[in-house]
Amino acid sequence: QEPHNRAHIKTILNELVLTHEVSDALARALFSGKSVIIHGPSGNGKTVLLERYADEMGGFSMTPYAIYAYGQVIRVFDQSIHRVIEPGSPEAPADDGRRDQRWVTIKRPAIVLGAEMDREALELAYDPSARFYQAPPHIKAQNGALIIDDFGRQRIETRDLLTRYVIPLERGWDSMTLQTGEKLTVPFQTQLLFSTNMRIKDLADEALLRRILYKVNMPNPDRAGFAEIIRRVCLQKAVRVTDGALDYAVERLYSYPGLKPRGSYARDILDIL
């Protein structure tokens, strides 16, 4: 199945207040299906955008319930992540009765990992009581999207994380190691999406970063953009405003020495009020 269509991505982007240039760059990056880094100051909608993208992944995928290798079971299907498409539903693919029942039809998966991510999330996890392995998140996100939010603040070096993901993704397969030392190879096809408020050049060296083809900056909003953001927040929270009140708030914020207003300031101001 193809990833989001252009109209779907445009609908998601229209929920944010973005300049035409930023919106166009994001649309092209997300539609590409390739790896993307979205960067810029915190509070301007990077996380909101990627969470909406994850919630609205289109199409379907097929995933095995488990992988059996070298006498070991590796669980892949995860009910907390994968949303099953029931046979006969409008989203279900045509079934000629010959489908391998060891596979389950699911909505295209999307997994979001944040700053709590550590090195253990990169490899197989063994459960000694149940005596089976749990596949790592990037395998469970097969044919979907793996989103690394707040990139650069994980409990693992950014270089190690990129090396673990980007290079196997380029070659189309990943290698996993069992506790007994045996290795198995599995397909690795997913879209890697990173969001960060750190400087790109501080994340890793050029050799790794150049493998991520799309890098999109989400800057602080200008006055007109912030005025539209705070207007939308007022509507969402059913806050009535007198004529000129929003213009006054924008003017005060943007005339304050040294202050660079973020989009999230609008929500914060309304919450305080």
Coordinates of all heavy atoms in Angstrom, one line a residue, residues 12 16 19 36 52 62 70-71 80-81 87 90 105 139 141 149-150 165 171 181 204 226:
I12 N -3.6 17.4 7.2 CA -2.9 17.4 8.5 C -2.1 18.7 8.7 O -2.2 19.4 9.7 CB -1.9 16.2 8.6 CG1 -2.7 14.9 8.6 CG2 -1.1 16.3 9.8 CD1 -1.9 13.7 8.5
L16 N -2.1 23.2 11.3 CA -1.1 24.0 11.9 C -1.0 25.3 11.1 O -1.4 25.4 10.0 CB 0.3 23.3 11.9 CG 0.3 22.0 12.6 CD1 1.7 21.3 12.3 CD2 0.1 22.1 14.1
T19 N 3.9 28.8 7.2 CA 4.1 29.5 6.0 C 4.0 28.6 4.8 O 4.1 27.3 5.0 CB 5.5 30.2 5.9 OG1 6.5 29.2 5.9 CG2 5.7 31.1 7.2
V36 N 13.3 11.6 7.5 CA 13.1 13.1 7.6 C 13.6 13.5 9.0 O 13.3 12.9 10.0 CB 11.6 13.5 7.4 CG1 11.5 15.0 7.5 CG2 11.1 13.0 6.0
R52 N 0.0 13.6 14.8 CA -1.2 13.5 13.9 C -0.9 12.6 12.7 O -1.7 11.9 12.3 CB -1.5 15.0 13.4 CG -2.2 15.8 14.4 CD -3.7 15.4 14.6 NE -4.5 15.7 13.4 CZ -5.0 14.8 12.6 NH1 -4.8 13.5 12.8 NH2 -5.7 15.2 11.5
M62 N 0.6 -6.1 6.3 CA 0.6 -7.4 6.8 C 1.8 -7.7 7.7 O 2.9 -7.3 7.4 CB 0.6 -8.4 5.6 CG -0.5 -8.2 4.5 SD -2.1 -8.7 5.1 CE -1.9 -10.5 5.1
Y70 N 15.6 -20.8 14.8 CA 16.6 -21.5 15.7 C 16.0 -22.0 17.0 O 16.5 -21.9 18.0 CB 17.8 -20.6 16.0 CG 18.5 -20.1 14.8 CD1 18.4 -18.8 14.3 CD2 19.4 -20.9 14.1 CE1 19.1 -18.3 13.2 CE2 20.1 -20.5 13.0 CZ 19.9 -19.2 12.5 OH 20.6 -18.8 11.4
G71 N 14.7 -22.5 16.8 CA 14.0 -23.0 18.0 C 13.5 -21.9 19.0 O 13.0 -22.2 20.0
S80 N -1.0 -3.6 21.5 CA -0.9 -2.2 22.0 C -0.5 -1.3 20.9 O -0.6 0.0 21.1 CB 0.1 -2.1 23.2 OG 1.4 -2.4 22.8
I81 N 0.0 -1.8 19.8 CA 0.5 -1.0 18.7 C -0.3 -1.2 17.4 O -0.7 -0.2 16.8 CB 2.0 -1.3 18.4 CG1 2.9 -0.9 19.6 CG2 2.5 -0.6 17.1 CD1 4.3 -1.3 19.5
P87 N -11.7 -8.8 8.6 CA -12.2 -9.2 7.3 C -13.6 -8.7 7.0 O -14.5 -8.7 7.8 CB -12.2 -10.8 7.3 CG -11.2 -11.1 8.4 CD -11.4 -10.0 9.4
P90 N -14.5 -2.1 5.2 CA -14.2 -1.4 4.0 C -12.7 -1.2 3.8 O -12.2 -1.1 2.7 CB -14.8 0.0 4.3 CG -15.9 -0.3 5.2 CD -15.4 -1.4 6.1
T105 N -3.7 -8.9 9.1 CA -3.9 -7.6 8.3 C -4.1 -6.5 9.4 O -5.0 -6.6 10.2 CB -5.1 -7.7 7.4 OG1 -4.9 -8.8 6.5 CG2 -5.2 -6.4 6.5
I139 N 11.1 -3.0 14.1 CA 10.6 -4.2 13.4 C 9.0 -4.2 13.5 O 8.4 -4.5 12.5 CB 11.1 -5.5 13.9 CG1 12.7 -5.5 13.8 CG2 10.5 -6.7 13.2 CD1 13.2 -5.3 12.4
A141 N 7.3 -1.6 13.5 CA 6.9 -0.5 12.7 C 7.0 -0.8 11.2 O 6.9 0.1 10.3 CB 7.6 0.8 13.0
D149 N 10.9 11.2 18.6 CA 10.6 12.6 19.1 C 11.7 13.1 20.1 O 12.3 12.3 20.8 CB 9.2 12.6 19.8 CG 8.7 14.0 20.0 OD1 9.1 14.9 19.2 OD2 7.8 14.2 20.9
D150 N 11.9 14.4 20.1 CA 12.9 15.0 20.9 C 14.3 14.3 20.7 O 15.0 14.0 21.6 CB 12.5 14.8 22.4 CG 13.0 15.9 23.3 OD1 13.5 16.9 22.7 OD2 12.8 15.9 24.5
Y165 N 19.9 2.5 12.8 CA 18.7 2.6 12.0 C 19.0 2.9 10.5 O 18.4 2.2 9.6 CB 17.7 3.6 12.6 CG 17.0 3.2 13.8 CD1 16.5 4.2 14.7 CD2 16.7 1.9 14.1 CE1 15.8 3.8 15.8 CE2 16.0 1.5 15.2 CZ 15.5 2.5 16.1 OH 14.8 2.1 17.2
R171 N 20.0 -0.5 3.2 CA 20.2 -1.8 2.6 C 18.9 -2.6 2.5 O 18.8 -3.6 1.8 CB 21.3 -2.6 3.2 CG 21.0 -3.0 4.6 CD 22.3 -3.5 5.4 NE 22.0 -4.0 6.7 CZ 22.9 -4.0 7.7 NH1 24.1 -3.7 7.5 NH2 22.5 -4.5 8.9
G181 N 23.5 -16.5 20.4 CA 24.5 -16.1 19.4 C 24.1 -16.2 18.0 O 24.8 -15.6 17.1
A204 N 25.1 14.6 14.8 CA 26.0 13.5 14.3 C 26.9 14.1 13.2 O 26.8 15.3 12.8 CB 25.2 12.4 13.7
F226 N 1.4 34.2 14.5 CA 1.0 34.0 15.9 C -0.4 34.6 16.1 O -1.1 34.0 16.9 CB 2.0 34.8 16.8 CG 1.8 34.5 18.2 CD1 2.4 33.4 18.8 CD2 1.0 35.3 19.0 CE1 2.2 33.1 20.2 CE2 0.8 35.1 20.3 CZ 1.4 34.0 20.9

